[in-house]
Amino acid sequence: MNVLVTGGTGYIGSHTCLALLDAGYTPVIYDNLSNSSIKVLDQLSKISSHTFDFIEGDIADSKKLKATFEQYNIEAVFHFASLKAVGESTEQPLSYYRNNVAGTVTLLETMQSCGINKIIFSSSATVYGDPQYLPIDEQHPITATNPYGWTKVMVEQILVDWCKTDYQHLAIALRYFNPVGAHPSGLLGESPNGIPNNLMPFIAQTAVGKREFVSIFGNDYNTKDGTGVRDYIHITDLAAGHVAAFSTHQNDSGSLVYNLGTGKGYSVLEIINAFSESANIEIKYKFAPRRAGDIASNFADASLAKKNLGWTAQLNIEAMTDDTWHWQSKYPNGLE
Ligand code: NAD
Ligand code: UFG
């Protein structure tokens, strides 16, 4: 089965292409390269000995999408393409609504006009806002605290409504907790542009000498050591979650939601310590004020995915920091 992977040269999409290929699907990558490198294609080929078909295109370009759907006889879409920087979304909300929401509407309209009924959507644990209880299950009320988060809430609603219009429509929203790590080969990983917003790439760049120290945003939270707690999930497990969700439900219909997380929470200090062990380097840090909009703790109840999909995260925190370090030390400047 040929499937289209929007955002397929990005961090999560590229790893998921490998998992899809392993599971017998043929992923066709569709990306405008706004936040990824064309060199990802070479890395994917080195890892898999497979040449991935790639279309440089934007999800807003209905004509190009349609031509791609027809050329490859696409049967389902894995939709990763999105802008994802929370801070930037507060400065440029309209770009986020245009790209993430309007872009998804164009994608769905084009799928519909070509008779493609199945979509797997990258949602986020950000839709739970400040958790009312932990661990967070899929029934937890959803909301948002910034435009990026609202784009995820809005697209989830659009998918629910889209599924109501045709009994053949299938939409699976996967709510990721904190994706980290890299391909075990060290050939593929996350390389954010500019100064990383997220903890793991910031630690990795500090370890490799590109940053002087990590600022820990707050040490007075009501957590085990006062620093923020998150549910970090290895990118390999996250990719496997997509395959499990699709292979389980590909003949079903309706709108479905799954958390993809480990169910375990680690503090910022625990992550820094684990990374120091992996890299065998002391990672300097300083305590800094809390970051606006941050929450104390966040971790998943991932039991629904276990029950329905037979999926659980397999890789522990050491694998996450080992693989991040392997990639970062091999490619200190990413693929550029
Ligand atoms: P990424 O930026 O590495 O990948 C996104 C890809 O989409 C990039 O390659 C980019 O060039 C492409 N893209 C963006 N807009 C496009 C458009 N209009 N047309 C075509 N391509 C476009 O990000 P990622 O970390 O791989 O995230 C993938 C998805 O997962 C996103 O939807 C993101 O919001 C979601 N998500 C990510 C995280 C995380 O922490 N990384 C957490 C939760 C959810
Ligand atoms: N942190 C630091 N220093 C840093 C960066 C982060 O102390 O330099 C702390 C944060 O305060 C937080 C933890 O590390 O306690 C994790 O922060 P990240 O920025 O890595 O991740 P978030 O949980 O804030 O958010 C991420 C994505 C969101 C997504 C969310 C849930 O950035 O887009 O996970 O999936 F919505």
Side-chain angles (χ1 to χ4, degrees):
M1 183 192 289
N2 291 348
V3 298
L4 193 79
V5 182
T6 77
T9 44
Y11 172 48
I12 304 171
S14 59
H15 288 81
T16 304
C17 283
L18 294 169
L20 286 166
L21 188 73
D22 276 350
Y25 300 101
T26 305
V28 175
I29 298 177
Y30 189 95
D31 200 300
N32 67 2
L33 301 176
S34 59
N35 197 39
S36 53
S37 166
I38 188 85
K39 293 180 185 159
V40 164
L41 298 173
D42 293 335
Q43 304 301 92
L44 287 173
S45 297
K46 281 184 210 160
I47 295 168
S48 66
S49 314
H50 172 87
T51 305
F52 288 81
D53 281 349
F54 171 70
I55 289 89
E56 183 173 347
D58 196 292
I59 53 167
D61 186 344
S62 182
K63 227 171 135 186
K64 195 174 261 186
L65 273 177
K66 189 167 188 288
T68 307
F69 288 150
E70 286 170 354
Q71 182 186 348
Y72 290 97
N73 194 20
I74 296 292
E75 292 187 55
V77 176
F78 287 74
H79 179 32
F80 296 92
S82 156
L83 300 174
K84 62 162 188 177
V86 172
E88 186 184 66
S89 81
T90 62
E91 287 149 23
Q92 304 166 30
L94 300 183
S95 305
Y96 274 67
Y97 291 119
R98 175 174 296 285
N99 195 73
N100 298 3
V101 182
T104 303
V105 172
T106 301
L107 175 66
L108 287 167
E109 283 173 339
T110 316
M111 285 169 60
Q112 195 164 301
S113 74
C114 295
I116 300 167
N117 296 320
K118 303 169 207 299
I119 185 165
I120 292 76
F121 171 63
S122 301
S123 190
S124 166
T126 194
V127 301
Y128 296 122
D130 199 347
Q132 294 173 12
Y133 57 85
L134 290 167
I136 307 175
D137 59 24
E138 290 83 351
Q139 303 309 314
H140 187 287
I142 67 172
T143 183
T145 53
N146 55 69
Y148 166 73
W150 281 116
T151 70
K152 296 297 178 191
V153 173
M154 287 177 189
V155 171
E156 283 203 13
Q157 184 60 46
I158 289 167
L159 295 175
V160 169
D161 294 336
W162 181 70
C163 284
K164 286 183 186 153
T165 64
D166 189 321
Y167 73 95
Q168 295 187 86
H169 287 172
L170 168 71
I172 310 175
L174 300 176
R175 294 177 180 158
Y176 312 153
F177 280 69
N178 288 55
V180 295
H183 193 269
S185 63
L187 292 169
L188 203 57
E190 186 179 16
S191 54
N193 290 328
I195 300 170
N197 295 309
N198 297 117
L199 180 65
M200 192 68 89
F202 202 102
I203 295 174
Q205 291 196 6
T206 307
V208 88
K210 291 178 77 175
R211 313 273 160 211
E212 210 185 322
F213 60 88
V214 179
S215 295
I216 299 183
F217 300 141
N219 61 345
D220 57 352
Y221 284 109
N222 183 19
T223 58
K224 44 189 139 184
D225 58 22
T227 66
V229 166
R230 296 291 184 274
D231 183 340
Y232 297 92
I233 173 169
H234 196 291
I235 188 74
T236 304
D237 280 328
L238 191 68
H242 289 74
V243 173
F246 186 58
S247 58
T248 303
H249 290 297
Q250 65 184 25
N251 297 317
D252 297 338
S253 61
S255 57
L256 304 165
V257 172
Y258 286 103
N259 283 343
L260 294 182
T262 65
K264 293 194 193 79
Y266 286 93
S267 73
V268 176
L269 280 171
E270 285 174 326
I271 298 295
I272 291 178
N273 288 335
F275 207 102
S276 298
E277 296 264 314
S278 291
N280 201 18
I281 288 170
E282 191 204 340
I283 292 163
K284 295 204 177 80
Y285 62 83
K286 290 186 184 168
F287 292 117
R290 290 181 179 193
R291 186 170 66 177
D294 267 359
I295 54 178
S297 295
N298 189 15
F299 51 94
D301 177 338
S303 56
L304 188 67
K306 183 176 183 187
K307 180 169 151 252
N308 290 2
L309 312 177
W311 173 91
T312 45
Q314 303 293 317
L315 296 167
N316 61 17
I317 202 71
E318 285 74 31
M320 301 182 209
T321 51
D322 281 358
D323 289 338
T324 304
W325 175 240
H326 188 194
W327 152 254
Q328 184 72 48
S329 48
K330 210 166 168 143
Y331 293 97
N333 298 312
L335 297 175
E336 292 312 318

